Amino acid sequence: MKATLHNHTIHSDGTKTIKEINDLAIKNNFDVVAITDHDTLDGYYDILELDTPVRFIIGVEMSTVHKNKNVHVLGYFPTVNENVIKFFQNMRKERIDRCKKMIYNLRKYENIDITFEEVSKLASGSIGRPHIAKVISEKFGITSSEVFDKYIGNDSKSYVSVGKIETEDGVKFLKDNGAIVSLAHPIQIKGFDFEEILDYGFDAIEVYHPDQDDEYSNMLRKVAKKHKLIVTGGSDYHGNNHSSVFEKSFIEDKDLDVFLEKFDELKKINKKIK
Ligand code: AMP
Ligand code: ZN
Ligand code: FE
Ligand code: FE
């Protein structure tokens, strides 16, 4: 059994629909696939309508901050309640405000003139930096990755974080709403040691991710063991946006059993609480 637990769709900055992801899952023999768009659960409704042998799980990649640095937290929901849906609908508004602030900053600091309309036209869901990057890339003839490096990276002058939710509070919110919570791509965490946040209540850690080599994944497996965390993994698939490959990173066999056992156990508990 094989699972990929980190995928973006057109509901955030991915380019594929759930149907296209389902086709990829079948073609590559995946049994379990999680949808984890940035700060939105809109993919949930697509999953409900999908007719497929693949087990689809609704998740989210939540934007949080720790020590002023961007920390992505993955939540996987055995059950979905109104509270969570409303919370993330509100975050969508925060992302719109943040996008407008970044556009303002780009004009002020970099003399780059783009409009919110140009950016929002590209976003059918949760709006983010890749949409800004695409507009600048097309207008000024540079690649999206150059746009990130030069103008909108985490340490750029124009960068604005999405909301101000502390990682500790984000983890608590997801757990209070019955999710399995995993620390996304620790390799991307800069500015502090990621181990210092693991006792905020994380259930899991993303051990397999395309940004790293096997040595780094093996190191993360040891960290998972030390902190008694479940192992998750996935390709952080974004479709045609930055060269991600659907089937590259995954979990299988025993790791997947442990994840699904916890998922099904939470499902029972969540239903009782309701
Ligand atoms: P946001 O959540 O709006 O801050 O955007 C984060 C997303 O931007 C990530 O999930 C990636 O899809 C993309 N991204 C971040 N850094 C880079 C980079 N250096 N080059 C290309 N895409 C990036
Ligand atoms: Zn993304
Ligand atoms: Fe991320
Ligand atoms: Fe992601």
Side-chain angles (χ1 to χ4, degrees):
M1 291 256 288
K2 197 163 75 159
T4 173
L5 301 177
H6 192 156
N7 294 284
H8 297 269
T9 73
I10 52 166
H11 291 298
S12 65
D13 55 4
T15 62
K16 302 288 184 197
T17 62
I18 192 131
K19 287 211 171 81
E20 290 168 317
I21 298 227
N22 182 48
D23 291 343
L24 284 167
I26 290 171
K27 189 173 146 213
N28 292 288
N29 298 315
F30 278 90
D31 304 284
V32 181
V33 175
I35 300 297
T36 53
D37 276 307
H38 295 285
D39 304 313
T40 179
L41 291 181
D42 285 355
Y44 178 55
Y45 305 102
D46 295 343
I47 291 176
L48 293 179
E49 282 176 12
L50 202 65
D51 184 13
T52 174
V54 179
R55 181 169 180 189
F56 271 81
I57 288 174
I58 186 62
V60 72
E61 183 170 17
M62 184 181 195
S63 308
T64 70
V65 284
H66 179 71
K67 294 190 170 163
N68 271 326
K69 299 283 178 194
N70 190 5
V71 177
H72 285 176
V73 178
L74 293 161
Y76 300 102
F77 294 93
T79 57
V80 173
N81 66 46
E82 282 287 309
N83 196 24
V84 198
I85 298 220
K86 281 209 185 108
F87 178 89
F88 286 112
Q89 277 169 350
N90 195 50
M91 263 188 105
R92 189 163 171 162
K93 289 183 209 129
E94 284 185 20
R95 274 186 167 270
I96 291 173
D97 291 344
R98 176 264 199 153
C99 181
K100 289 179 177 167
K101 280 185 198 153
M102 284 193 65
I103 289 169
Y104 174 86
N105 287 350
L106 283 163
R107 192 167 301 141
K108 184 166 145 191
Y109 298 124
E110 312 287 357
N111 213 11
I112 288 178
D113 193 12
I114 57 166
T115 65
F116 177 70
E117 286 65 37
E118 288 171 313
V119 179
S120 64
K121 249 198 320 212
L122 302 179
S124 52
S126 206
I127 198 165
R129 280 184 290 164
H131 304 112
I132 297 179
K134 190 147 193 250
V135 172
I136 299 177
S137 145
E138 281 169 9
K139 245 184 160 168
F140 299 92
I142 53 174
T143 66
S144 279
S145 124
E146 281 170 333
V147 177
F148 268 93
D149 290 348
K150 285 191 181 147
Y151 307 118
I152 62 171
N154 291 348
D155 296 317
S156 66
K157 260 188 176 172
S158 302
Y159 179 75
V160 177
S161 67
V162 182
K164 292 275 178 275
I165 300 162
E166 288 291 327
T167 305
E168 186 166 14
D169 298 332
V171 172
K172 185 168 187 314
F173 174 81
L174 294 171
K175 288 201 63 132
D176 285 350
N177 286 284
I180 294 185
V181 184
S182 184
L183 178 62
H185 43 60
I187 194 161
Q188 289 182 14
I189 294 178
K190 304 276 185 290
F192 63 89
D193 181 352
F194 71 81
E195 277 199 67
E196 77 185 50
I197 59 174
L198 288 177
D199 63 0
Y200 283 170
F202 282 99
D203 304 295
I205 183 165
E206 192 170 54
V207 168
Y208 298 100
H209 188 277
D211 281 5
Q212 68 213 26
D213 59 15
D214 289 351
E215 197 186 329
Y216 196 87
S217 304
N218 291 337
M219 182 277 288
L220 288 178
R221 273 206 90 91
K222 288 190 192 132
V223 172
K225 198 167 178 196
K226 177 174 154 199
H227 292 267
K228 297 192 170 61
L229 297 170
I230 293 169
V231 168
T232 70
S235 297
D236 208 347
Y237 183 61
H238 281 76
N240 305 335
N241 279 350
H242 49 84
S243 50
S244 50
V245 178
F246 177 79
E247 66 275 20
K248 186 159 184 210
S249 305
F250 51 83
I251 58 165
E252 57 189 341
D253 305 335
K254 185 75 175 55
D255 289 335
L256 179 55
D257 291 345
V258 172
F259 176 84
L260 288 177
E261 210 172 284
K262 174 82 180 175
F263 192 83
D264 291 336
E265 177 194 315
L266 278 177
K267 191 170 204 158
K268 277 190 211 141
I269 295 171
N270 296 353
K271 280 193 173 149
K272 268 191 201 144
I273 293 172
K274 260 192 197 168

